[in-house]
Amino acid sequence: MTRYLTNRERLMETAGELLYRDGLHAVSVDRLADEAGLTKPTIYNLFGSKDALVAEALERRADQLRAGMEQRMAAHAE
């Protein structure tokens, strides 16, 4: 069975990619909406503001980096 991403998941993936690659000030909500295939009202309904979206995207990125480091450390634990 195919699992489809929720609007929130799709937006978080898109935001993580665009914000990391192009920077916070270079990525508008319009661009995020276009790239994620969502509307601006959907984004604001999910997060309330661009700042809240950016904060969650940064937290998600930090969690991913932390998990990767923990896996590498566990693989080389003595």
Side-chain angles (χ1 to χ4, degrees):
M1 182 167 146
T2 303
R3 182 181 177 276
Y4 296 99
L5 297 177
T6 65
N7 286 344
R8 184 180 202 87
E9 290 169 329
R10 191 169 21 158
L11 181 57
M12 291 307 299
E13 285 188 8
T14 302
E17 179 182 318
L18 290 177
L19 294 169
Y20 183 76
R21 184 182 66 215
D22 298 338
L24 169 65
H25 297 292
V27 179
S28 67
V29 174
D30 286 319
R31 184 169 172 207
L32 285 168
D34 287 342
E35 297 270 341
L38 301 171
T39 63
K40 280 176 59 174
T42 299
I43 291 173
Y44 286 112
N45 285 335
L46 288 169
F47 291 96
S49 69
K50 181 181 175 186
D51 289 342
L53 169 62
V54 169
E56 189 167 324
L58 289 173
E59 287 175 17
R60 181 178 174 171
R61 173 70 67 161
D63 291 343
Q64 291 168 340
L65 291 171
R66 190 175 303 106
M69 285 188 281
E70 288 172 358
Q71 285 178 338
R72 285 189 289 280
M73 289 185 331
H76 299 292
E78 304 215 13

